[in-house]
Amino acid sequence: MTAADPDRSMPRADDPIAEVRNLTVAFEMDRGQSRVVDDLSVDIERGEILGVVGESGSGKSMFASSLMDAVVEPGVASGDVTYHPPSGESVDVLELSKGELQELRWEEVAMVFQGAMSSFNPVRTIRDHFVETLSAHDYNVSDGLERARELISDLYMDPERVLSSYPHELSGGMSQRVLIALSLILDPELLVMDEPTAALDLLMQRSIISLLDGIQEKHDLSIVFITHDLPLVAGLADRIAVMYAFEMVEMGPTDELLTDAAHPYTRALLNSTPNLRAPIDRMRSIDGESPDPVNIPSGCSYHPRCPMADEQCREVDPEPYRVDGDHAANCHYWEEAAEAVPAVTEEFDDAGEMGAAATERTPERRSGEPVLSMDDVEVYFEQESSAFSLFSDPDDVKAVDGIDLDVYDEDVVVLVGESGCGKTTLGKTAIGLQRPTGGVVEYRGQDVWQARDLVGDIDIPYEEIRQSLQIIHQDPGSALNTHRRVRAVLETPLKRWYPELDGNDRRERILGMLEYVGMTPPEDYIDRYPFQLSGGEMQRIALIRALLINPELILADEAVSALDVSLRVEMMDLLLELQDTFDTSYLFISHNLANARYITEKADGRIGVMYLGELVEIGSPERIINDPKHPYTQALRWATPELDPDDDPGERPMRKIDIPDAANPPSGCRYHTRCPEAREACRHQRPELVEAEGEEPGYQQAACFREYEDHEYWDSEPITDEDDADSVDSGTGPGTAEADD
Amino acid sequence: MDWRVERLTQGLLTVFLVITLSFVIIRFMPGNPMDYILAQMSGDATGATSGEGGASGSDMEQQYELVQAYLSMNPSDPLHVAYFDYMSNTLRGDLGQSIYYSRPVSDILGRAMPWTLFVLSWGLAIGFVLGIITGSLIAYWEGSKLDVGLTAYSVIMGSIPYYVLALLLIVYMAYRWQIFPTNGRVPEGVTAGLNWPFIKGIIYHASLPIASTVVFSGIASLSMRGNAIRVLGEDYLRVARLRGLSDGVIATQYVARNAILPLYTGLMISIGSLFGGSVILETIFRYRGMGYYLVQAANARDYPLMMGGFMLLTICVVIALFITDLTYGLIDPRAGDENREAF
Ligand code: SF4
Ligand code: SF4
């Protein structure tokens, strides 16, 4: 890589805190050398937040680890990583001795990992973690603990409680924040965050992001924020670097990169990212897959997927081309990229209100007899699971508490909510996998559990109900038996439900389906094992398996969230296409409002928002996204980042960050502990779902007193945090695991 | 409700059930101890008074009283009275009278129990420590020659039944080479007390039984090896290294503590079989502990002693389990927090 030609050089920082030059991380494997970072160079400016965006397998985590020479064995990092301390001599991180490294790590460069839950020693208290870090670096422990308290309370937690807790007593969001505090305990200069929020709910993600801004300023930090989620860093980062196939392909100031991306991959990535504003019918997935680190394509590594690739691209690896100022792209034809890969958002401003096409659909089509009807459904779990317990007071977790929901023919309903809100439980109850502890679940008028127990008049036998209600799991890999070929996986349901088919018919049918979902040639796929399939392909097999038996309703539990961003839109499109062909209804479960919006708007469906076991709002996507009535939906809306550099998250529309313990939900309106609009009346009374004001019936319903014409709410005193015992989050109870997803 | 109280209640319930069970066996099983003793008595009585035609009423009374003395239960009492008597006697520590030794059962077993506990606890402790050390060594040098050697050792140790090892030990170490005594638990001709020759003698006599129990270390080290390797791959270990913690802290507070946890659970599971094994072990070494007397009693059809031994062994297991359960809470903070339902 040469920097001689000013037009073909990467942007340089004026006052870099770290300079990375020609970094390569390689693993020796049986198949050959695997280069998970390939000749990467980047500068990190002092005091900036650099967002590094890449899909899974792009090498971004390895890049992160290299910054503190922490690449896991047997990986070997080579090249130069120069760290410039505020004063004193610069050091080459990769050349340091063990002792020097120990001084660099955590004192100068610290790191926050994705799995906070597993980053703590389960048998030591949080305080021990702070103390041992302080004493390992010969820092004064009592001063250090003082700093720890401050950091913890800056992150909206109660320091004393947190310090004396064991890791398992913290919820996922709390342990992630504690890990951030722990990373800052020695006052480092550079903080590397590797997908620090990926395992968290949107609300928690956004809350942490909005806290980070303040923390960065207060502690004068430089931050490298690594993520797969472009919108997430859009509002946070000063600059964004995009990684593809183990190197940086584009780098530039955030607003320029979002509005004027110069690399075809970046443009395609932006177009494929579901968000709340872009017109849905113009979103596209990127065809093809990321390359294998053992076998990186020659020339430009993006050429197999790039619509503009030509001879030069295949042969000459593009160096960074200066687009302007600090903006550079590794593409020979960056000047033409804007034309070749037009941005979907471009015409959006003219279109005015999003999704104008879908707005005028009526709720009329949701008339007639529902496929599935749930009436006042309750699912309570007993908490004590020990078989021997003699004296447990059954402290029930009300996973689902009094929900009515009807799903009609060819209907699409997406349930959204935070972990632990009961959306998965409700989904399972809907398709008869979970027996409700109260209420009725009916399939076409037949009580599912009566059919199961052979009680009363049974119009539809249980077998038929089971066949009609199917599920696609979140993780296709674990849902498929690894020892069975695709053919065997798909034949099982056919044999069970269509015994009259012979072997040939079955094969024909399977081949047809494979072809239909785009797995061609089907003869090639039918004899593969699951491990020979990519994530997207496995998800398709799972989908076919569900569809082969002609179900009436499919529950898709986070069916796209395990897929790479660039594949999600494609998968959702496929699901909807199949709906038209097979006349199925879908019940989706998602924690992501952008995905929910995409799918419901395309299918003219509804979004249902759940909070602590209750359905708090339900309505058409345009209403839920544009005019959410319930304060909780508004918070979710706030938490969904936009692909917009000016997207300032603004004030957090919640009084508390952490979700209350589901075993002990707040009285009255369950949201009152976090709701910014809460008043005294909300403490005692529970609001019912009512038609939103100013709307035709059927478009939008919300369970909030603010939708009641006159209610004692309007005359009661607002609840402020001073009224509550603790203004800082007291957090969730011990052992509350974020178990939903 | 505190889980400790819960465990304690469970333990007490088990003890109660065991005593009840032994009552039921004595009273109702065909060929049960009571019938047997009665038959023996009347046999003796018939023998002694032969020619005078059967046992008289007062003889029967006498016999019942004798049975009462042996078994803490009078066959002529109605069921509930007998049960109540039996319970209260047992709980007071009166386990009846041994037929063979003609001494109170509680006296015999009370003297034997410390010896059994002595051998088992040392066997267990040595096995545990040995297992942890070898297991950690293998994990640390995973893949090296040492790993292969020690793993082989652990596999062999883990798969030898302890009684086979005991037989080998006694044949070679005691009979062939006469390094250790073949039986007994105290040296002869030494005054009992806190003097070195006596203590040395005790250790000397206990060596072989303890050594046989140490096979436990094989299993322990294998599971320690697995656990330690697993912990070495945990995220928190990586984070700890990056935080710059010293190797000492990492080895003890991170690897060892977390790797021992599952081992401790394994220990709990094996406690029962350890006590059970003492029966065979003490017989092989003719080491007069509870197990030894239990076998003696079975051979001599000494039912009172047998029932007492059985009951006491069970109670020991229950107590040992209770202790490990309680101490587990000290080393694993997650203990007692039941896993919540995932929903
Ligand atoms: S260099 Fe060629 S193949 Fe690579 S991104 Fe640019 S146009 Fe596409
Ligand atoms: S009912 Fe009250 S607490 Fe609940 S969402 Fe409405 S305003 Fe907030």
Side-chain angles (χ1 to χ4, degrees), chain A residues 157-180:
Chain A
M157 291 176 289
D158 174 2
E160 291 314 317
R161 250 190 75 166
V162 165
L163 283 176
S164 54
S165 303
Y166 282 100
H168 72 279
E169 294 169 330
L170 304 174
S171 69
M174 291 173 92
S175 47
Q176 195 70 56
R177 279 176 285 156
V178 172
L179 192 59
I180 293 176

Side-chain angles (χ1 to χ4, degrees), chain A residues 262-265 299-310 312-314 316-318 321 330-334 337:
Chain A
H263 195 283
Y265 172 68
C300 171
S301 51
Y302 187 57
H303 82 248
R305 300 171 82 180
C306 182
M308 306 154 61
D310 70 359
Q312 192 192 4
C313 303
R314 276 185 277 275
V316 187
D317 192 4
Y321 288 85
N330 297 28
C331 170
H332 297 306
Y333 303 113
W334 64 268

Side-chain angles (χ1 to χ4, degrees), chain A residues 630-632 669-673 675-679 682 685 687 703-706 713:
Chain A
H630 197 281
Y632 180 66
C669 172
R670 290 192 176 165
Y671 191 51
H672 86 251
T673 52
C675 180
E677 308 285 352
R679 300 195 186 177
C682 306
Q685 295 178 37
C704 171
F705 293 132
R706 297 172 64 78
Y713 168 88

Side-chain angles (χ1 to χ4, degrees), chain B residues 260-307:
Chain B
I260 288 173
L261 293 183
L263 216 59
Y264 213 71
T265 329
L267 171 81
M268 281 199 237
I269 296 169
S270 50
I271 278 179
S273 55
L274 264 174
F275 272 95
S278 72
V279 173
I280 300 174
L281 220 53
E282 289 173 358
T283 308
I284 292 176
F285 292 105
R286 275 181 283 153
Y287 195 86
R288 290 162 178 257
M290 278 194 294
Y292 174 82
Y293 283 108
L294 202 62
V295 174
Q296 292 292 308
N299 285 338
R301 297 207 150 206
D302 185 347
Y303 282 111
L305 186 57
M306 215 169 87
M307 296 316 294

Side-chain angles (χ1 to χ4, degrees), chain A residues 244 286-290 304-305 566-567 570:
Chain A
Y244 179 78
I286 310 175
D287 292 333
E289 284 180 42
S290 307
R305 300 171 82 180
S566 63
L567 297 173
E570 193 181 330

Side-chain angles (χ1 to χ4, degrees), chain A residues 70 102 118 121 132-133 137, chain B residues 235-236 238 243-244 253-254 258:
Chain A
Q102 187 173 2
S118 60
N121 184 350
E132 63 192 11
T133 313
H137 292 267
Chain B
D235 285 348
Y236 56 79
R238 179 163 179 235
R243 277 192 285 138
Q253 293 297 338
Y254 280 71
N258 283 291

